[in-house]
């Protein structure tokens, strides 16, 4: 009887004990093949904070990584992601050393250390001296610094003694601009490379708005950004005036123009994009109802031409449609000429389901005057994704593909030759990322770029392996 009780106790203890954690994989680079794809997996010697893809003089792109030896606070990461905070942590509670590394993709690949003791900040890239090689930029709470080109890194050198709302070129963040944009209260300034650093080029006045807070009066100016498709043109806003009017400022080299847009109903803007459509500046927004709160409401999508009128009455949207993405899910509009008829088309990537269990691509074909044919044409796939990229060719046929990252795979849906029949093929190419299996880990973000300047794009993914350890994965199609 005593032996039986002892056995039962041991069984209960074994059943309740946690499974011993598997050891993390060794730091280093491994190369495997999956079909016609080569998968380069780099397990990093630290936690990944920032990625940038600076251009070399020969047109190739480097993969530069800012690593932290200490694991970041998950709550702080969620806060920064929610608030869109791209700056360094103002508390700077994490004092662990940071270092800059380069992922060398030649041969079997290798991780190359570039700099030690790098301050916290946000990475970007810009050719400051005109030699064709972009220098790695680091925006810190004390200003903008250059770390030199990836092939010849240097100690941090201040190139702009400004902090706050800075925008500068970054392939990883999909921000294209010829220089650095500094927004602030009442002013916007553009700084351009001058051979060794940055010099002021354009300065424009911005309107200021006062709002009452519990602690006093808050003064703000609208956010300034470049217009996609025209990096020389800036736009500020949109600012809501009431529940249906939006004001945008178009900032050119010689003048600033205020333009009004009218929402179809009382709505609150969720996200805004300034783009060129058929050569004309346009505003795309997603919105939700302003006069009632619907927890499960889906986002609305509006497209406005940014055309000034003397009466300031405002223009109504040329496209007003409903997406399937709930207010907590993303929507991604992409403008491009799909059928090569010289008219810009619009592809709207969106999700459906409470947790985004369905991916939907909706296509609106252009009429050539900034307007679109309706209704749109939808394709839907029952799968979950952590990130996506549409608009670049991965399969080598010159047609835009859709790349999706789930936890353990890269899925590539090839574009068809007849997008009016179907935008994408139904069956994807599936490439395992070799990140293990389990409750933890998996891919988190995805970017597409031509790293080796051979005319074909690669996929760059970040995440972690299931047993622990930050990882960067590059998928190259052969």
């Amino acid at each position: 009887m005593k032996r039986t009780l002892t056995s039962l106790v041991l069984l209960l203890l074994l059943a309740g004990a946690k499974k011993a954690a598997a050891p993390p994989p060794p730091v280093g680079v491994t190369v495997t093949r999956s079909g016609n794809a080569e998968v380069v997996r780099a397990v990093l010697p630290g936690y990944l904070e920032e990625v940038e893809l600076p251009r070399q003089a020969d047109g190739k792109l480097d993969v530069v990584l800012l690593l932290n030896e200490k694991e970041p606070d998950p709550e702080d990461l969620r806060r920064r992601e929610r608030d869109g905070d791209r700056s360094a942590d103002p508390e700077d509670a994490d004092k662990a050393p940071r270092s800059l590394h380069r992922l060398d993709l030649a041969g079997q690949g290798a991780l190359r250390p570039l700099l030690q003791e790098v301050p916290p900040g946000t990475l970007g890239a810009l050719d400051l001296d005109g030699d064709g090689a972009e220098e790695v930029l680091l925006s810190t709470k004390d200003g903008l610094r250059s770390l030199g080109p990836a092939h010849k890194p240097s100690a941090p050198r201040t190139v702009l003694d400004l902090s706050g709302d800075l925008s500068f070129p970054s392939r990883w963040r999909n921000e294209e601009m010829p220089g650095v944009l500094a927004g602030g209260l009442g002013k916007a300034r553009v700084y351009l490379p001058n051979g060794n650093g940055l010099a002021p080029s354009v300065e424009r006045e911005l309107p200021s708005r006062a709002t009452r807070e519990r602690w006093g009066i808050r003064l703000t100016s609208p956010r300034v950004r470049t217009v996609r498709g025209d990096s020389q043109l800036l736009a500020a806003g949109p600012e809501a005036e009431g529940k249906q009017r939006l004001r945008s400022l178009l900032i050119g080299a010689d003048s600033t123009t205020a333009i009004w847009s009218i929402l179809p109903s009382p709505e609150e803007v969720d996200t805004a994009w300034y783009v060129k459509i058929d050569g004309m500046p346009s505003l795309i927004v997603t919105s939700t109802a302003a006069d009632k709160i619907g927890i499960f409401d889906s986002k609305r999508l509006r497209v406005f031409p940014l055309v000034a009128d003397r009466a300031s009455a405002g223009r109504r949207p040329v496209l007003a449609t409903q997406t399937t993405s709930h207010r907590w899910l993303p929507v991604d509009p992409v403008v491009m000429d799909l059928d090569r008829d010289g008219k810009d088309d619009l592809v709207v990537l969106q999700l459906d389901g409470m947790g985004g269990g369905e991916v939907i691509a909706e296509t609106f074909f252009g009429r050539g005057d900034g307007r679109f044919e309706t209704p749109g044409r939808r394709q839907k796939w029952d799968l979950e994704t952590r990130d996506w990229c549409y608009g670049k060719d991965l399969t080598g046929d010159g047609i835009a593909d859709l790349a999706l990252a789930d936890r353990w795979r890269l899925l590539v849906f090839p574009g068809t030759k007849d997008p009016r029949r179907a935008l994408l093929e139904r069956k994807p190419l599936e490439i395992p990322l070799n990140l293990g299996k389990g409750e933890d880990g998996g891919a988190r973000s995805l970017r597409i770029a031509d790293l080796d300047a051979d005319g074909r794009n690669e996929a760059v993914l970040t995440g972690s392996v299931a047993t622990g350890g930050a990882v960067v994965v590059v998928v190259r199609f052969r």
Side-chain angles (χ1 to χ4, degrees):
M1 184 67 178
K2 184 176 181 181
R3 181 179 297 175
T4 302
L5 289 174
T6 303
S7 300
L8 287 173
V9 171
L10 288 174
L11 287 173
L12 290 173
L13 288 174
L14 290 173
K18 292 184 179 180
K19 185 178 179 181
V27 171
V29 180
T30 57
V31 180
T32 58
R33 292 190 178 275
S34 176
N36 68 334
E38 182 181 77
V39 182
V40 181
R41 188 192 71 168
V43 179
L44 307 177
Y47 294 90
L48 181 62
E49 287 194 355
E50 287 283 323
V51 185
E52 191 48 69
L53 307 174
R55 187 187 65 239
Q56 303 175 17
D58 59 3
K60 296 180 181 180
L61 303 181
D62 282 308
V63 181
V64 174
L65 315 168
L66 182 62
L67 304 183
N68 192 331
E69 292 183 6
K70 182 180 178 182
E71 183 177 8
D73 181 3
E75 289 297 326
D76 180 59
L77 290 179
R78 283 192 286 269
R79 177 191 63 78
R80 291 177 64 183
E81 183 176 357
R82 182 187 68 242
D83 298 340
D85 183 4
R86 296 178 5 217
S87 63
D89 183 2
E91 300 294 332
D92 197 22
D94 183 3
K95 300 295 185 180
R98 291 167 173 83
S99 55
L100 198 69
H101 296 253
R102 178 173 68 90
L103 175 56
D104 187 350
L105 297 173
Q108 293 300 304
L111 282 170
R112 310 289 186 189
L114 300 180
L115 292 174
Q116 300 296 323
E117 299 184 3
V118 178
T122 304
L123 293 181
L126 183 63
D127 182 6
L128 296 176
D129 54 13
D131 65 351
E134 293 176 339
E135 297 188 38
V136 179
L137 300 181
L138 182 71
S139 177
T140 71
K141 59 185 179 182
D142 298 322
L144 188 65
R145 306 184 186 187
S146 169
L147 306 180
H151 70 275
K152 191 178 180 181
S154 60
R157 174 177 65 92
T158 300
V159 293
L160 195 59
D161 192 14
L162 288 175
S163 60
D165 187 13
L166 291 180
S167 297
F168 47 97
S170 168
R171 288 184 183 82
W172 190 257
R173 296 193 305 275
N174 295 318
E175 294 190 10
E176 297 182 8
M177 57 189 70
V180 176
L181 173 61
L185 182 61
K187 286 186 183 297
R189 298 181 179 90
V190 177
Y191 296 84
L192 298 178
N194 66 347
N196 190 38
L198 293 164
S201 173
V202 177
E203 181 174 320
R204 290 287 182 272
E205 300 290 331
L206 293 177
S208 300
R209 172 175 294 186
T211 54
R212 186 180 296 276
E213 305 285 351
R214 287 184 300 176
W215 45 265
I217 301 298
R218 183 181 183 183
L219 297 176
T220 58
S221 291
R223 179 190 173 190
V224 183
R225 66 195 95 175
T226 57
V227 177
R228 290 187 186 178
D230 187 351
S231 60
Q232 304 292 330
L233 184 62
L234 304 178
E239 282 192 303
E241 295 285 346
K243 294 185 178 181
Q244 288 186 246
R245 287 168 59 84
L246 301 174
R247 182 176 67 172
S248 298
L249 297 177
L250 282 183
I251 304 172
D254 303 316
S255 63
T256 299
T257 306
I259 300 174
W260 295 90
S261 305
I262 307 298
L263 293 162
S265 60
E267 300 172 15
E268 292 182 355
V269 172
D270 172 72
T271 311
W273 301 264
Y274 288 100
V275 300
K276 279 284 191 75
I277 300 177
D278 293 318
M280 297 179 292
S282 303
L283 170 65
I284 302 176
V285 302
T286 56
S287 62
T288 53
D291 52 355
K292 60 179 180 179
I293 298 177
I295 298 177
F296 302 110
D297 286 350
S298 297
K299 295 179 181 179
R300 306 164 183 180
L301 185 122
R302 307 341 190 169
V303 180
F304 300 94
L306 293 182
V307 180
D309 61 302
R310 292 184 178 180
S312 298
R315 298 295 184 99
R316 296 192 175 274
V318 295
L319 177 64
T321 187
Q322 190 84 26
T323 75
T324 60
S325 290
H326 292 300
R327 59 175 66 233
W328 58 85
L329 295 174
V331 173
D332 185 18
V334 179
V335 177
M336 61 186 305
D337 183 3
L338 296 170
D339 50 4
R340 304 182 184 182
D341 62 352
K343 304 172 184 177
D344 278 337
D345 309 306
L346 177 65
V347 178
V348 183
L349 278 299
Q350 49 202 286
L351 300 176
D352 198 3
M354 295 296 295
E358 295 178 334
V359 176
I360 294 175
E362 187 170 14
T363 306
F364 298 91
F365 287 96
R367 292 169 39 180
D369 58 356
R371 300 173 183 268
F372 300 95
E373 300 174 6
T374 54
R377 304 179 185 185
R378 287 185 175 180
Q379 285 185 286
K380 180 171 68 173
W381 295 269
D382 293 329
L383 55 88
E384 293 186 359
T385 179
R386 291 191 166 187
D387 202 0
W388 61 45
C389 287
Y390 173 75
K392 295 186 177 181
D393 174 33
L394 277 166
T395 58
D397 60 1
I399 301 174
D401 304 320
L402 171 63
L404 299 172
D406 71 7
R407 292 184 69 181
W408 314 116
R409 302 172 300 169
L410 172 68
L411 304 175
V412 178
F413 291 86
T416 70
K417 294 182 179 179
D418 185 4
R420 287 188 172 268
R421 177 186 59 83
L423 179 67
L424 300 162
E425 300 287 353
R426 293 296 310 172
K427 186 177 181 180
L429 305 174
E430 298 187 18
I431 299 93
L433 300 177
N434 306 320
L435 301 181
K437 295 291 184 180
E439 296 181 358
D440 300 323
R444 285 196 304 269
S445 60
L446 165 69
R447 298 294 185 272
I448 307 298
D450 182 4
L451 298 179
D452 48 11
D454 64 350
R456 298 188 61 173
N457 290 300
E458 286 76 41
V460 184
L461 303 100
T462 67
S464 59
V465 291
T467 54
V471 67
V472 172
V473 179
V474 177
V475 179
R476 299 189 286 195
F477 292 88
R478 301 302 185 189

